[in-house]
Amino acid sequence: MKRVENPGSEWPLLSKAVLEQERRMLLDLGNDITGVRDKNDLLILFSNRIKRFFYFTHTIVTLIDYKDETYTPFLLDPRHSPIRGHDLYASLLNTRFSLNEPFIQAVLNADEPISFMLEDIMDKPLSPSFLRVNYEEGVREILMTRLIREGKPMGFIHIYTDRPGRFTREFRSVINGIAPQLSSAVSNIIKNQEILDKEKETSFLLDFSSDLAKVRTRAELQEAIFRVIEKTMHTQLAMIRVIDEDGFHLNTFMFDRSLFKNADPAFFEKMSSHRITVEEPYTSRVLASREGLVFNIEEEIRDGNDYARLWKTTGLKNMYALPLRAGDKNIGTIWLLANRLSPLLLKGICSQISIAIANIQANEKLLAYKKQLENENDYLKEQISKIYNFSEIIGNGPAMQEVYRLISVVAGTNSTVLILGESGTGKELIARAIHNASSRSNKLMVKVNCAALPANLIESELFGHERGAFTGATDRRIGKFELAGHSTLFLDEIGEMPLEAQAKLLRVIQERELERLGGSQVIKVDVRLVAATNRDLEAAVRTGQFREDLYYRLNVFPICLPPLRDRPQDIEPLAHFFVAMYSRNTGKKIKKISPGVLQQLRSYTWPGNVRELQHLIERSVLLTSGDTLRDVYIPKGNAAEKQGAAALANRSLEEVERSYIIEVLQRCGGKISGAGGAAEILQMPGNTLHSKMKKLGITKADCFPR
């Protein structure tokens, strides 16, 4: 092209032929560029067209990011670039160069293409590294001009040559003319890419939503989250924290340990396991935000953020923290480490994760409730097989009347009750009577036999344990205290509880809260305690076998059950009750008990109390063939009888006779003659018995129990 210089203009005047040739070239190039949709084709087309008329080595397009005042490579000329073999080439493609460099500021302030010799600018302060890389590969000069979008620079076109002086005024004129069309093409590519990215993100979110709809457990959710974040965002999950049921504390829901492989293990464990609240400064800011927050790691370290020291070990620049919400309710927070993330994709993923977590929590509660119902059902079946099979307490003597009075006084309260009595006196039956007469009767009374559990398992039985708390703890176990929530917990044989467990029981009674073994969550409990023992707890306290403070906590309202030998008037009704029950169970038709059997039952000392009577009647019923129980199989030579025989040896015959007649009279309720009277049992006429009573000084007052 031949130029005609114009002294009054910066650009020379061109001849008509030259202008027409340049116009056709720009028109053809513009038409070609307008049809480009793939960004990889744009620079190839540009280079091929321009190189027909002008020489240069390669070209690239960079885009401006005004948020952090940087520019980055966007379009490359891969076929002709001489720097592709340089060691720093790959890193240059991902580098963000500062807009504040003097070199690039000169380009921004120039309205037309501007060129530089690399050796003049590459070593100046703040000059970008790509200048030296090009120089080391033989490039000597660079021509740059702005690309304008909606009146604002959106990027630059860089053109390089290894032959200085090739950027003539004609070449600059062509580049200046093609820049607007190139800007439009780049703008269209960006818009198309944004549309494709949004479509891709929308399609991905639909697929992710479909995947999460199948998730039922935390493990499945974690696998889905890790997969999608790594595949789509090219980053990893730092942590998800979920708000506890108390609405105040947050616990770690999941995190990717591999992300912090370069962190000090002790420091990582400390920071990841630290239990926080919704008032923790960073958490409260995230929960209060609408779209989440971005924490620059370097800035956070300067501000003294201990968490940021952990984040820095990943080599990433920013921590993205977003609230997880189900509707308008905060359910937790999600933390992701990355250099840059798509806000739309991040928001969509967090929304889906929030729904999935809410569903998992609801599912876990449902499973826990189902498990509790199963536990209660199993426990109820177990207890039905063990408890006494009579529907009411049998006994109307003075001793039992006092017990009934005490039950009526305490049942309607929440006071702790301590039931004392020998084995077999019916302590559990009294506990159930207290529960059934209380406001908690609509729920199952839970029983723990402290004597039947090994010392190393009693804490797990009472307080529960988390999975992995100890060898063999393969699942979470709900303890009896939790199982008895809003109900009554009956601690049978409390005197056999180990001292270590006594200390933990005391704390639960005092604080009304507990922690499962291996867990950290504090669980509030609302339980009414009823304890029972056949031991002398005061003596156990004196010998150090039972904690004194626990004894006083339990001994709020003691009820002492009398032994069966002290309530002889209740033996006959108890016997009739058991005969009827076991006759019905065995299909027999025993309707009455012979007077001789009743006399035997009254004269026995019953060291095993009501339980011994029950078992004795059961055996006797099995061995009876008629409709009358005529024989009972009372043990012979038991320790009580031997002690009684030893006592008789030290008394006179008259004393023994008097005591025996009084005992029989008391067992018969003071009745002397007639059916079931003392004379019938003693096998003597009624008149003879009257005479003996007068002789031995037995009065009417002696005939009734005191």
Side-chain angles (χ1 to χ4, degrees):
M1 295 184 186
K2 181 180 179 182
R3 290 186 176 274
V4 179
E5 298 294 339
N6 180 5
S9 173
E10 182 180 350
W11 290 90
L13 294 175
L14 304 179
S15 67
K16 289 184 178 180
V18 171
L19 287 172
E20 180 61 25
Q21 182 179 353
E22 184 175 302
R23 187 186 67 80
R24 285 199 305 270
M25 180 181 67
L26 292 175
L27 182 62
D28 292 343
L29 183 58
N31 290 334
D32 291 341
I33 288 176
T34 303
V36 172
R37 290 294 178 267
D38 189 332
K39 71 176 185 178
N40 295 321
D41 296 336
L42 181 60
L43 281 190
I44 294 174
L45 176 65
F46 174 82
S47 295
N48 290 342
R49 284 286 190 182
I50 300 297
K51 280 185 176 181
R52 294 178 185 178
F53 305 97
F54 302 101
Y55 174 80
F56 57 92
T57 56
H58 63 292
T59 182
I60 72 167
V61 171
T62 54
L63 290 183
I64 296 173
D65 186 342
Y66 285 100
K67 291 181 180 178
D68 53 8
E69 296 186 332
T70 60
Y71 62 101
T72 53
F74 179 63
L75 302 179
L76 305 174
D77 185 358
R79 296 189 302 176
H80 304 106
S81 176
I83 69 171
R84 291 185 62 191
H86 197 282
D87 292 342
L88 298 179
Y89 179 74
S91 64
L92 289 177
L93 301 181
N94 298 310
T95 302
R96 307 184 74 81
F97 302 101
S98 174
L99 281 177
N100 296 320
E101 300 160 350
F103 153 73
I104 208 67
Q105 284 293 315
V107 179
L108 280 172
N109 293 326
D111 293 331
E112 296 163 343
I114 181 172
S115 66
F116 304 88
M117 300 300 295
L118 295 186
E119 62 182 348
D120 294 338
I121 62 173
M122 65 183 182
D123 292 327
K124 288 187 177 181
L126 303 179
S127 287
S129 57
F130 65 79
L131 297 177
R132 173 162 287 282
V133 169
N134 276 275
Y135 187 83
E136 290 176 356
E137 296 298 327
V139 179
R140 292 296 178 262
E141 190 174 1
I142 180 175
L143 177 73
M144 291 183 67
T145 191
R146 302 172 303 174
L147 299 177
I148 306 297
R149 181 183 184 185
E150 297 177 356
K152 184 178 180 180
M154 69 171 177
F156 309 97
I157 181 167
H158 308 231
I159 303 174
Y160 299 89
T161 184
D162 55 0
R163 301 176 189 177
R166 290 284 180 167
F167 296 145
T168 63
R169 290 184 176 181
E170 293 89 347
F171 183 56
R172 294 168 190 245
S173 176
V174 169
I175 298 303
N176 193 56
I178 199 63
Q181 298 179 52
L182 190 61
S183 298
S184 296
V186 171
S187 179
N188 289 336
I189 288 173
I190 292 173
K191 289 178 180 178
N192 288 335
Q193 188 63 48
E194 289 175 348
I195 292 172
L196 290 174
D197 288 345
K198 287 184 179 180
E199 290 178 350
K200 185 178 179 181
E201 289 177 357
T202 302
S203 175
F204 163 76
L205 289 174
L206 289 173
D207 292 341
F208 185 50
S209 175
S210 178
D211 289 342
L212 290 190
K214 305 171 186 175
V215 167
R216 291 293 179 270
T217 66
R218 294 191 188 198
E220 292 174 353
L221 177 62
Q222 180 167 308
E223 182 181 353
I225 291 175
F226 284 6
R227 183 173 61 249
V228 71
I229 289 177
E230 183 176 0
K231 178 181 177 181
T232 308
M233 297 183 171
H234 309 294
T235 186
Q236 291 168 277
L237 174 71
M239 183 170 292
I240 291 178
R241 293 185 185 272
V242 173
I243 300 174
D244 287 346
E245 290 186 6
D246 61 11
F248 186 67
H249 292 91
L250 290 95
N251 278 319
T252 301
F253 188 79
M254 65 177 63
F255 62 88
D256 189 349
R257 185 180 294 271
S258 65
L259 183 60
F260 302 98
K261 59 187 177 182
N262 296 324
D264 176 63
F267 182 62
F268 170 74
E269 291 298 333
K270 176 183 176 183
M271 300 305 294
S272 62
S273 61
H274 180 56
R275 192 161 183 252
I276 63 173
T277 72
V278 294
E279 295 178 352
E280 189 269 333
Y282 294 96
T283 300
S284 64
R285 287 171 58 191
V286 173
L287 291 174
S289 68
R290 186 172 182 81
E291 304 292 339
L293 303 172
V294 181
F295 298 98
N296 180 271
I297 294 175
E298 293 297 338
E299 292 178 3
E300 292 300 316
I301 289 176
R302 288 194 295 271
D303 292 341
N305 183 347
D306 286 338
Y307 291 107
R309 291 167 48 207
L310 181 63
W311 303 342
K312 186 175 175 62
T313 62
T314 65
L316 299 168
K317 296 180 180 180
N318 296 310
M319 173 62 85
Y320 291 78
L322 290 92
L324 296 175
R325 294 190 176 104
D328 295 331
K329 180 183 178 183
N330 286 326
I331 64 171
T333 56
I334 183 170
W335 303 75
L336 296 127
L337 280 161
N339 291 329
R340 182 178 294 269
L341 293 176
S342 162
L344 174 64
L345 192 60
L346 187 58
K347 183 179 178 181
I349 287 176
C350 288
S351 176
Q352 299 293 342
I353 290 174
S354 298
I355 295 171
I357 290 177
N359 290 339
I360 287 175
Q361 287 179 320
N363 191 48
E364 286 179 346
K365 287 181 180 179
L366 183 62
L367 290 175
Y369 183 62
K370 179 175 178 289
K371 184 68 174 176
Q372 182 177 350
L373 290 178
E374 290 174 351
N375 289 340
E376 289 187 355
N377 187 46
D378 292 342
Y379 180 78
L380 182 59
K381 290 179 180 178
E382 176 187 354
Q383 293 306 303
I384 287 174
S385 67
K386 292 181 178 179
I387 63 172
Y388 296 124
N389 291 316
F390 47 96
S391 58
E392 59 181 336
I393 304 170
I394 306 298
N396 292 306
M400 289 307 297
Q401 289 296 330
E402 176 61 16
V403 171
Y404 300 150
R405 186 187 71 81
L406 294 175
I407 290 174
S408 66
V409 168
V410 78
T413 72
N414 286 321
S415 297
T416 300
V417 179
L418 179 62
I419 304 173
L420 304 167
E422 297 177 6
S423 294
T425 52
K427 295 185 288 295
E428 182 177 347
L429 193 61
I430 299 302
R432 292 189 182 279
I434 293 171
H435 172 72
N436 291 336
S438 73
S439 59
R440 300 168 182 259
S441 59
N442 61 323
K443 295 203 70 178
L444 175 71
M445 184 186 88
V446 177
K447 175 191 172 184
V448 176
N449 189 334
C450 302
L453 293 171
N456 60 331
L457 292 181
I458 194 165
E459 289 183 40
S460 173
E461 184 74 13
L462 287 176
F463 312 127
H465 64 252
E466 297 290 347
R467 180 179 180 182
F470 52 83
T471 303
T474 56
D475 293 300
R476 171 189 284 180
R477 179 185 178 90
I478 302 298
K480 290 298 192 291
F481 263 97
E482 285 186 75
L483 195 62
H486 306 290
S487 185
T488 303
L489 179 63
F490 176 46
L491 299 176
D492 199 10
E493 304 295 350
I494 188 69
E496 309 305 319
M497 180 177 285
L499 283 170
E500 183 180 355
Q502 290 179 30
K504 296 189 177 182
L505 173 62
L506 178 64
R507 177 185 173 275
V508 175
I509 295 174
Q510 290 175 332
E511 305 297 334
R512 296 294 172 178
E513 62 184 28
L514 58 85
E515 293 179 9
R516 299 190 192 105
L517 291 180
S520 58
Q521 182 180 0
V522 176
I523 301 167
K524 296 288 185 181
V525 290
D526 175 16
V527 175
R528 200 262 181 88
L529 279 180
V530 177
T533 183
N534 60 4
R535 293 185 62 184
D536 184 347
L537 290 187
E538 290 186 355
V541 168
R542 289 194 296 270
T543 59
Q545 296 177 307
F546 201 84
R547 291 180 63 101
E548 184 177 22
D549 44 8
L550 178 58
Y551 171 67
Y552 290 129
R553 281 283 179 180
L554 296 174
N555 196 36
V556 175
F557 194 91
I559 297 178
C560 296
L561 295 188
L564 187 56
R565 61 181 173 274
D566 290 346
R567 38 188 289 219
Q569 66 277 16
D570 294 334
I571 292 176
E572 183 174 345
L574 282 168
H576 281 292
F577 178 85
F578 290 132
V579 166
M581 181 180 70
Y582 288 115
S583 295
R584 184 170 56 252
N585 292 347
T586 59
K588 298 197 174 187
K589 298 181 180 180
I590 302 174
K591 298 180 179 179
K592 57 183 178 179
I593 306 173
S594 70
V597 167
L598 291 174
Q599 190 276 330
Q600 285 182 281
L601 297 178
R602 292 192 192 100
S603 62
Y604 184 53
T605 55
W606 300 109
N609 293 294
V610 177
R611 186 183 295 117
E612 184 182 11
L613 173 62
Q614 178 185 357
H615 295 161
L616 185 144
I617 295 294
E618 180 181 11
R619 181 187 179 202
S620 300
V621 167
L622 290 171
L623 295 173
T624 297
S625 57
D627 64 353
T628 301
L629 188 69
R630 300 185 181 280
D631 293 299
V632 288
Y633 300 88
I634 295 177
K636 304 296 183 182
N638 60 73
E641 289 178 344
K642 290 178 180 178
Q643 291 175 359
L648 288 175
N650 296 319
R651 300 168 68 188
S652 66
L653 179 59
E654 187 175 285
E655 288 175 335
V656 172
E657 187 177 21
R658 184 177 187 277
S659 296
Y660 181 61
I661 291 174
I662 290 174
E663 182 180 345
V664 173
L665 285 166
Q666 288 181 347
R667 290 181 184 277
C668 296
K671 186 176 182 180
I672 298 175
S673 58
E680 182 182 37
I681 294 173
L682 294 171
Q683 298 181 357
M684 64 174 64
N687 292 334
T688 304
L689 180 55
H690 273 288
S691 299
K692 278 188 173 289
M693 290 171 60
K694 186 175 180 181
K695 178 182 176 183
L696 296 172
I698 298 174
T699 65
K700 187 175 182 180
D702 294 323
C703 297
F704 299 94
R706 294 171 183 165

